[in-house]
Amino acid sequence: MRERRKYVNRFLTIFLLVAVLALGLVAACGDDDDDNDDDNDDNDTPVDDDDDTSDDDDDQTDDDAPVDPYLNPEEPGPYLAGNTTFFFEDASRELSCGDGNRWLMTEVWYPAADNADEWSENWVTDFFLDRQDEVEEAMRQAGMNPDEELIDQPTGSYRDAPVHPDATSMPVLIFSHGFSSNRFQNYTMANYLASHGYLVVAPDHICNAGVTLTPTDVVLFSWLDAPLTLFERVPDVRFLADVFLDTPPDMFAGRIDVNRLGYMGHSFGGLTVTEAFKRDLRATALVQLASFGFPDMPEQVVSPSMFMWGREDKWMHIFEPWHDIVVDLAPRPKFELQFNDTGHFAFADLCDFSAPLAEDGNGCGTEQRIGSDEMFTNPGVEKMHEVMNPYITAFLGMAFFDYDELAEYLTENHFPELIEYFPVWE
């Protein structure tokens, strides 16, 4: 019951946040449309001032793009997945729930070398690096029992493995996690996309993540920070887009396709990336999972989007009208997948590794329908990924590379027993 009350309280908090944020978001971001250069200056990260990328011939880029990794969406790609962790400091912003600047503990999944399996396979607890003891102590001091939180298990990628030598032009996908969740909540999807040649970049939104690290401290979720979180999260993902498109870490230097940037997010992270996508002219694709957006769409937004929605989502049910409005306003082409008998956390790996959610989380196992005494059973993580991963992979290949084969895949509902599918073309 303690966990159930906790999640109900979070829902009510989000509901109150929306009333505040809806009034302030346009004022906060409305002048943000053409501020990419200003953002780079404020972030205090080195910036490549050479503007020749804006003059690139898109047709030439498409001709030079690797083809094979992206063309079979229903199977993992040709690469093994590697993952590694970075700490990025945004010196332009102070931490709202502590002292110092805003740090983003960031996980990156990438196409790894053929011998990546000689490196250690990553487990859930490895996402805390070698500081698990610090994390557990901080949780105990906050009245939590870490032994009841995480189910440790392998995650399918290889920590710190080398990048595959053929991965020379990787599109960048920025992923934003849910309210009080964590950067690795969708590691299965990240692995799948990395196997197809994508670079997936996922921060812990410090102060709003359940638990994260800086180089020196453990930072737990802060209720006091909750009213500010969207105003902090949108700059987080924009900051990381700046880093990886302009001055990526050495292991990815010279391997980034700076003309192909996608935003992805689940739940509150879906709201985060939707609002970032609307105002970042570099963005060329949006994937929103179990989320919504504010009911506006700037005229300059022309890139395609994909939306996934659970029809038994108790968390997002109240926001369904806003979800529908954003889908309606999104430019074409756009694609919506509505999952039958599916709740909120089914779109992430949380049902597998979060013990409280596995026991009693909307989207996990068997539960009661919205507004009814009838029971239903969620599809489960494996079945969800059988649907989500191919559609997202096909969508990104179509959005980034305009592949006819993947556009053809997107014309059909390949899983009619689980979803209703609504593609809207030009």
Side-chain angles (χ1 to χ4, degrees), residues 359-382:
E359 180 180 348
D360 188 25
N362 176 230
C364 308
T366 299
E367 56 182 311
Q368 188 173 311
R369 293 192 185 282
I370 296 173
S372 170
D373 293 333
E374 183 183 353
M375 304 298 288
F376 74 97
T377 300
N378 286 277
V381 172
E382 183 176 349

Side-chain angles (χ1 to χ4, degrees), residues 80-83 116-127 152-161 187 191:
L80 296 172
N83 72 291
D117 54 2
E118 296 176 10
W119 273 253
S120 298
E121 184 173 8
N122 190 82
W123 285 57
V124 170
T125 51
D126 291 331
F127 289 116
D152 200 17
Q153 60 188 21
T155 65
S157 57
Y158 299 95
R159 177 161 288 278
D160 299 327
Y187 60 74
N191 290 342

Side-chain angles (χ1 to χ4, degrees), residues 107 141 333 353:
E107 203 69 23
Q141 290 184 7
F353 73 80

Side-chain angles (χ1 to χ4, degrees), residues 247-282:
T247 55
D250 288 345
M251 66 185 294
F252 304 120
R255 295 174 173 270
I256 303 296
D257 186 338
V258 298
N259 295 312
R260 294 183 171 95
L261 168 68
Y263 283 120
M264 304 173 59
H266 171 255
S267 189
F268 210 88
L271 174 61
T272 299
V273 296
T274 298
E275 298 310 309
F277 170 78
K278 291 178 183 179
R279 291 160 176 85
D280 189 341
L281 300 183
R282 301 167 299 180

Side-chain angles (χ1 to χ4, degrees), residues 266-315:
H266 171 255
S267 189
F268 210 88
L271 174 61
T272 299
V273 296
T274 298
E275 298 310 309
F277 170 78
K278 291 178 183 179
R279 291 160 176 85
D280 189 341
L281 300 183
R282 301 167 299 180
T284 47
L286 168 70
V287 178
Q288 185 196 93
L289 308 175
S291 189
F292 63 101
F294 293 104
D296 72 297
M297 188 63 65
E299 292 183 359
Q300 69 269 20
V301 178
V302 296
S303 297
S305 49
M306 176 168 278
F307 304 87
M308 298 190 179
W309 183 261
R311 288 180 164 171
E312 297 295 337
D313 190 331
K314 297 181 175 67
W315 293 83

Side-chain angles (χ1 to χ4, degrees), residues 69 77-82 108-112 170 173 188-200:
Y79 306 114
L80 296 172
V108 181
W109 290 263
Y110 53 89
M170 294 178 284
L173 305 173
T188 300
M189 180 185 298
N191 290 342
Y192 198 89
L193 293 171
S195 80
H196 279 272
Y198 295 97
L199 190 77
V200 182

Side-chain angles (χ1 to χ4, degrees), residues 3 7 49 63 155 165 178 205 264 280 353 373 389 409-410 423:
E3 294 295 339
Y7 289 109
D49 290 326
D63 290 341
T155 65
H205 293 288
M264 304 173 59
D280 189 341
F353 73 80
D373 293 333
N389 290 343
Y409 186 89
L410 293 171

